[in-house]
Amino acid sequence: GENVEQHPSTLSVQEGDSAVIKCTYSDSASNYFPWYKQELGKRPQLIIDIRSNVGEKKDQRIAVTLNKTAKHFSLHITETQPEDSAVYFCAAPRSGTTGNQFYFGTGTSLTVIP
Amino acid sequence: DTEVTQTPKHLVMGMTNKKSLKCEQHMGHRAMYWYKQKAKKPPELMFVYSYEKLSINESVPSRFSPECPNSSLLNLHLHALQPEDSALYLCASSQGYAGGTPTDTQYFGPGTRLTVL
């Protein structure tokens, strides 16, 4: 089965610095990798995703990179702001399934210090 | 409308009560999901409905009973729950697909925070 490892579990950065969160997956057939941000008491919200036909995708201060050979993908947040503080989850699809099922990483609690 | 809605927002119930959680989406999505999320943990998949049919049951105890009355609605019926079932219950939806490796984005509702006394 698919495992998704996510690191680090907690991350503190100064406002304005960059934050990087990395996930590793095991199934080479996986082809879609979303990232979710979950603020305290709120729903997970998709912030960016990447499909396996590209190596990088950017959306303003957020970017995701994918290394298919090494089977890892990373979330990059530049010029961090206090409102970026949240728990971030990566996900990768489960292989051999008949429905949309994802393995979620264990989450990274990001704190941006003003 | 790009939202998934859930009611109620909060629910407190006793172990002998029967209650239902409701989820609705009007995005034309044909796949809907129930997840359970404990504090500081990732969402855990419970059920998947694809084209209004239950396609996945992740070995969930029978005290949780899902229902999909139509393509826009998803219910979760609760009966004889245990205190350890207290959690945030999230509904999600995605476009749905015919087969193969899933690539659809899942959109989550705000969740129902359930407390079992």
Side-chain angles (χ1 to χ4, degrees), chain A residues 4-13 19-24 35-40 47 73-75 77 84-91 104-112, chain B residues 37 40-43:
Chain A
V4 178
E5 293 187 8
Q6 183 173 345
H7 298 284
S9 57
T10 59
L11 180 59
S12 290
V13 298
V20 181
I21 304 169
K22 182 176 173 179
C23 285
T24 305
W35 282 94
Y36 288 89
K37 173 185 180 183
Q38 189 173 26
E39 296 176 65
L40 190 63
I47 54 171
F73 56 109
S74 299
L75 177 70
I77 307 174
D84 295 329
S85 297
V87 178
Y88 291 81
F89 293 103
C90 63
F104 283 87
T106 48
T108 297
S109 179
L110 173 65
T111 301
V112 179
Chain B
Q37 187 179 29
K40 300 185 180 182
K41 298 289 186 183

Side-chain angles (χ1 to χ4, degrees), chain A residues 29-32 34 36 38 41-46 49 51 89 93-94 97-102 104-107, chain B residues 3-4 33 35 37 41-43 45 48 55-56 58 88 90 94 97 100-106 108-110 113:
Chain A
S30 295
N31 63 359
Y32 173 66
Y36 288 89
Q38 189 173 26
K42 297 194 174 180
R43 76 184 81 191
Q45 282 208 296
L46 180 78
D49 56 14
R51 298 186 189 270
F89 293 103
R94 293 191 189 186
T97 61
T98 58
N100 282 357
Q101 297 174 64
F102 287 90
F104 283 87
T106 48
Chain B
E3 275 210 348
V4 179
Y33 314 79
Y35 287 87
Q37 187 179 29
K41 298 289 186 183
L45 185 65
V48 178
S55 61
I56 300 292
E58 288 287 293
L88 180 68
L90 293 161
S94 68
Y97 78 116
T101 306
T103 59
D104 282 354
T105 302
Q106 292 188 17
F108 285 88
R113 187 154 302 281

Side-chain angles (χ1 to χ4, degrees), chain A residues 60-100:
Chain A
Q60 299 182 355
R61 298 185 297 107
I62 294 173
V64 55
T65 57
L66 172 63
N67 183 326
K68 288 184 66 180
T69 304
K71 295 184 202 167
H72 64 71
F73 56 109
S74 299
L75 177 70
H76 304 255
I77 307 174
T78 58
E79 300 171 34
T80 53
Q81 300 168 3
E83 51 265 37
D84 295 329
S85 297
V87 178
Y88 291 81
F89 293 103
C90 63
R94 293 191 189 186
S95 59
T97 61
T98 58
N100 282 357

